[in-house]
Amino acid sequence: MPDEQRDVAVDNGVEFPVPADGEVWVVGAVILNQDSKAFAQKRGPGRRLFPDCWDIVGGHVEAGESLLDALAREITEETGWHLRRVRQLLDVSTWTGDDGNGTRREADYLVEVDGDLTHPRLERPKHTAHDWFGPDSLPRLKENRAPATYFIHDLIARVLRDDHGRA
């Protein structure tokens, strides 16, 4: 078991789809702080997909990797935090980026992490900034995005609206 996944609690009913051969999967993590605000990081201007846009923590599932392993790995790589608990599968969606790499399936989860939430270790230059978003700051998640790509805004808005505070 990878170091990133040690002692990860998974709540009852949380599913982890198993990628079929040839499918490209992405995982995403919505992380809430003690004030029930959601973490997002700004993608660097040189990124092929969604440059200069706010995004949740996550990334591609590598060949032979489970979604849970990828989720734990991406959280640690992008923030320095460690996955502690997977609370809920929020959504499974299908989308195609403008990078020519075809269709992706994405599974987004509500998670809890261990680490200093005030000091994430961003992967620079992949990510250039971070912030915590509550209901009043949600419009910032639409920066540099076309209306058809407001999915990060919409996902975080739904989590905050559904009152997914700490259980």
Side-chain angles (χ1 to χ4, degrees):
M1 179 180 299
D3 289 340
E4 293 88 358
Q5 189 186 319
R6 262 194 206 122
D7 299 321
V8 173
V10 177
D11 287 11
N12 289 334
V14 174
E15 297 178 17
F16 293 92
V18 176
D21 288 342
E23 286 184 330
V24 177
W25 277 81
V26 178
V27 291
V30 175
I31 301 165
L32 300 177
N33 67 9
Q34 68 278 3
D35 298 323
S36 295
K37 291 185 175 180
F39 180 82
Q41 52 193 357
K42 193 165 235 187
R43 295 173 64 86
R47 302 291 299 270
R48 286 183 309 170
L49 285 173
F50 314 113
D52 278 328
C53 293
W54 290 100
D55 200 1
I56 58 176
V57 174
H60 285 89
V61 178
E62 296 175 0
E65 187 176 41
S66 73
L67 272 66
L68 179 57
D69 287 342
L71 191 64
R73 176 183 52 76
E74 289 289 349
I75 289 169
T76 300
E77 286 178 1
E78 293 187 5
T79 66
W81 302 330
H82 296 279
L83 180 61
R84 175 180 65 235
R85 177 181 174 198
V86 182
R87 295 180 53 195
Q88 182 180 359
L89 172 60
L90 297 168
D91 194 26
V92 174
S93 59
T94 302
W95 56 275
T96 302
D98 60 3
D99 61 353
N101 287 335
T103 302
R104 294 159 175 88
R105 305 232 27 226
E106 180 165 344
D108 295 317
Y109 294 89
L110 178 63
V111 304
E112 294 176 5
V113 297
D114 288 323
D116 182 354
L117 297 185
T118 62
H119 294 95
R121 187 189 69 227
L122 297 184
E123 266 188 308
R124 297 190 189 271
K126 287 183 177 182
H127 300 99
T128 58
H130 74 279
D131 208 346
W132 293 92
F133 291 81
D136 295 341
S137 54
L138 284 174
R140 288 183 48 223
L141 292 169
K142 295 178 180 179
E143 290 176 357
N144 302 321
R145 285 193 181 262
T149 63
Y150 286 169
F151 50 88
I152 297 300
H153 168 275
D154 296 348
L155 178 67
I156 290 176
R158 183 169 46 95
V159 168
L160 298 179
R161 180 190 67 236
D162 290 349
D163 194 25
H164 289 289
R166 296 196 178 275

